[in-house]
Amino acid sequence: MSTPPRPESAVLDSAHLGDITGALGTIRAGESGRRSWRGHLLALLAIVGPGLIVMVGDNDAGGVATYAQAGQNYGPSLLWTLVLLIPVLIVNQEMVVRLGAVTGVGHARLIRERFGGFWGAFSVGDLFILNFLTIVTEFIGIRLAAGYFGIAPEVVVPLAAILLVAITASGNFRLWERAMLLFVVGSLLVVPLAVLSHPAPGAIAHGFAIPAVAHGFSANAVLLIIAIVGTTVAPWQLFFQQSNVIDKRITPRWIAYERADTVIGAFVVIVGAAAVMMAAAHAFQGTAAAGHFVNAEQVAKGLAAHVAGAAGAMFAILLLVASIIGASAVTLATSYAFGDIFGLHHSLHRRVGEAKVFYGSYAAMVAVAAAIVLIPRAPLGVMTTAVQALAGLLLPSATVFLLLLCNDREVLGPWVNAAWLNVVASVIVGTLLVLSLILVISTLEPSIDVTTLFVGLMAAMLAGLAVGGAALAWRRRPAGPPVGPRSERGTWRMPPLALLQRPRWSIGRRMGMWALRGYLLVAALLLVVKAVRLATGH
């Protein structure tokens, strides 16, 4: 049973306080910790969920299609991108784990309260638009998977929508998490799929170890790399995992276990992505379809024709499972944010009657997305790639807000970022901006040498970060409010938001944020231009 929030708590929904009731175990509220190996294992099993689900949910319909496109069009040459994304995944998601467990407040609400309604509206507006488009791609995946088996989309799409709403609106967090973990187990079909495809070990090793692109570093290759980044490290993940950690009632005492959950999930998602890429690379190598990706259904048919009938069926089932996990997680991330912003009940522990708007917004998004996918003759493959690329373009903005929050001492106290973590995150943001800038420039000037442009922009970015880092090192860092000794980290929680003083932004920071927003808007518009060109063959 939920307990009411204490006066000093920042938690907005009382359903977010109480026992941790995970799919695989329970931890009682107020429990001090575990000492034995068995105790640690049972605690990990009880905590496992938010990290694993958010990561496997990232290998959603858009992810499966994007990895398959990379394998079909470029062979195993883009496997190296997945290796580089492991630290990006872990760094970004570890930060939201701390924010969720320490503050008890969702990502959307923190942004609005700490930076004002204007920037909060921008951030949440991005989330709502991108998430809705992503939900559409999940139903595209469901439609294509059903098409492989000859099932009419008018039958399977509504049934999938009903299933998603039924699982989520049960009013039972443990039931929802168990259903999601069952789908996670289903996603492991990717392992026998990769084995069945018999990929060439030498080519695979080369693809992982050598950063290169088959047929050269072109504008289309950059678009696909951005899509790989966007589908592997998507902005919705930040909002989902922070809110899901809160909804699961994980507190600072259990952060180490949730970090382990996140790291396990990161490796699972990369192994899955690599397996899809390898299977598609092997299936289409030397065929007329190599380099001519259409959509995920055609990939399944190609696997059946060039590998084995079982491979095509496995890929289609994998696509269906991935679509359902992704649709649930992305839609839930949006409903969580909606409840955060408007101060409404937003917990899977609540029944429908207690959180009508929370569940109603979830059902509405699922229904509208499902209806859009039933529109005939839409360019489904291009739509999916474009949405993943848009996620990659908007990730720097989301990561900047994440960095600001994780360096806010009033919010995280003794849990603020270490200096090395800020350096890593800054390099990540800079690299993402370089990739998006290449997409912008190559769209405006298609004949430009993309390789030379990439080297030049990366050198400029690293030089800029070095100068900026040196300048910051010379400045004396403000002491900030007292945060207590590190020994108190296990019990330190953020005070109510109303008691915190909002941070002041310098003119330089405001100008930087405006420049970033303006640039990303231009980049998103040019992405639309690029997608239209691909869809029309121009």
Side-chain angles (χ1 to χ4, degrees):
M1 183 175 177
S2 299
T3 57
R6 298 171 298 172
E8 70 273 15
S9 173
V11 174
L12 300 174
D13 190 333
S14 60
H16 294 157
L17 294 172
D19 296 343
I20 297 173
T21 53
L24 305 176
T26 300
I27 297 175
R28 298 298 177 189
E31 186 176 333
S32 59
R34 306 288 175 94
R35 295 183 181 277
S36 67
W37 279 105
R38 181 176 181 275
H40 286 303
L41 177 59
L42 291 176
L44 177 60
L45 289 174
I47 294 294
V48 160
L52 191 57
I53 292 168
V54 76
M55 294 297 184
V56 175
D58 221 21
N59 274 0
D60 57 358
V64 170
T66 301
Y67 304 136
Q69 180 179 359
Q72 181 175 346
N73 289 1
Y74 296 94
S77 69
L78 291 179
L79 284 170
W80 58 272
T81 61
L82 302 177
V83 176
L84 296 180
L85 286 174
I86 292 175
V88 179
L89 274 169
I90 294 174
V91 166
N92 271 22
Q93 297 308 124
E94 188 278 335
M95 286 193 280
V96 295
V97 165
R98 276 183 286 129
L99 282 173
V102 173
T103 69
V105 177
H107 204 65
R109 184 61 175 257
L110 278 180
I111 291 174
R112 194 186 78 169
E113 293 293 333
R114 300 305 287 161
F115 309 125
F118 179 78
W119 292 106
F122 261 124
S123 180
V124 176
D126 285 350
L127 177 77
F128 285 173
I129 293 170
L130 180 59
N131 280 11
F132 180 73
L133 293 173
T134 304
I135 297 164
V136 171
T137 68
E138 310 302 356
F139 279 97
I140 288 174
I142 292 170
R143 173 177 174 169
L144 295 175
Y148 177 81
F149 294 108
I151 304 173
E154 293 80 7
V155 174
V156 73
V157 169
L159 285 177
I162 292 169
L163 175 65
L164 282 165
V165 174
I167 292 172
T168 304
S170 65
N172 187 316
F173 184 96
R174 172 172 280 170
L175 178 62
W176 171 85
E177 190 170 74
R178 282 177 174 170
M180 289 299 102
L181 291 183
L182 185 62
F183 285 119
V184 167
V185 172
S187 72
L188 297 179
L189 270 176
V190 73
V191 176
L193 173 65
V195 172
L196 193 61
S197 69
H198 300 294
I204 297 304
H206 186 273
F208 274 120
I210 307 299
V213 180
H215 319 303
F217 213 121
S218 65
N220 288 343
V222 172
L223 175 64
L224 186 56
I225 291 172
I226 293 175
I228 291 172
V229 173
T231 194
T232 310
V233 194
W236 68 262
Q237 291 177 267
L238 309 180
F239 292 81
F240 172 83
Q241 190 171 4
Q242 184 167 332
S243 290
N244 204 235
V245 162
I246 295 165
D247 206 5
K248 193 163 182 176
R249 303 164 176 169
I250 295 171
T251 60
R253 191 178 302 281
W254 308 103
I255 279 181
Y257 298 96
E258 182 52 28
R259 282 172 170 162
D261 176 33
T262 302
V263 171
I264 292 168
F267 282 95
V268 168
V269 74
I270 293 301
V271 168
V276 171
M277 203 179 291
M278 288 187 291
H282 174 76
F284 292 97
Q285 185 177 13
T287 70
H292 301 287
F293 173 83
V294 177
N295 58 47
E297 182 182 353
Q298 296 304 313
V299 172
K301 291 178 178 178
L303 284 165
H306 305 300
V307 178
M314 283 182 186
F315 184 86
I317 294 171
L318 176 66
L319 179 62
L320 179 63
V321 169
S323 301
I324 292 174
I325 297 175
S328 179
V330 178
T331 311
L332 194 54
T334 314
S335 294
Y336 275 140
F338 193 82
D340 262 329
I341 289 295
F342 295 103
L344 305 169
H345 287 158
H346 53 295
S347 172
L348 293 173
H349 291 284
R350 292 191 178 277
R351 300 287 182 181
V352 173
E354 298 176 290
K356 297 183 181 70
V357 177
F358 174 64
Y359 290 115
S361 63
Y362 183 99
M365 283 183 288
V366 166
V368 175
I372 289 174
V373 170
L374 294 176
I375 297 173
R377 294 186 297 279
L380 304 182
V382 173
M383 285 172 59
T384 300
T385 303
V387 171
Q388 309 316 309
L390 180 61
L393 288 180
L394 295 179
L395 186 59
S397 177
T399 305
V400 166
F401 280 113
L402 177 61
L403 266 175
L404 293 173
L405 288 172
C406 284
N407 284 280
D408 190 332
R409 292 193 176 200
E410 293 208 31
V411 169
L412 282 185
W415 292 95
V416 291
N417 276 2
W420 70 266
L421 189 56
N422 288 329
V423 171
V424 173
S426 297
V427 172
I428 290 170
V429 172
T431 304
L432 292 171
L433 286 174
V434 165
L435 288 173
S436 66
L437 189 57
I438 291 172
L439 178 64
V440 169
I441 295 173
S442 61
T443 300
L444 295 173
E445 185 55 54
S447 61
I448 196 166
D449 186 332
V450 175
T451 303
T452 303
L453 180 63
F454 174 75
V455 172
L457 289 175
M458 282 296 294
M461 181 271 291
L462 292 173
L465 288 178
V467 172
L472 287 174
W474 279 100
R475 293 176 56 186
R476 187 171 67 179
R477 184 176 181 177
V483 296
R486 290 178 65 86
S487 60
E488 296 180 4
R489 295 176 85 190
T491 57
W492 198 95
R493 301 297 299 273
M494 183 185 77
L497 286 165
L499 302 181
L500 304 185
Q501 184 177 358
R502 183 175 292 175
R504 294 177 179 271
W505 278 12
S506 65
I507 295 177
R509 176 173 289 183
R510 287 183 182 277
M511 291 177 62
M513 290 299 295
W514 274 107
L516 177 62
R517 292 298 312 181
Y519 165 70
L520 291 177
L521 177 61
V522 172
L525 291 174
L526 288 174
L527 172 62
V528 173
V529 172
K530 185 76 174 178
V532 171
R533 287 179 180 174
L534 289 174
T536 57
H538 291 92

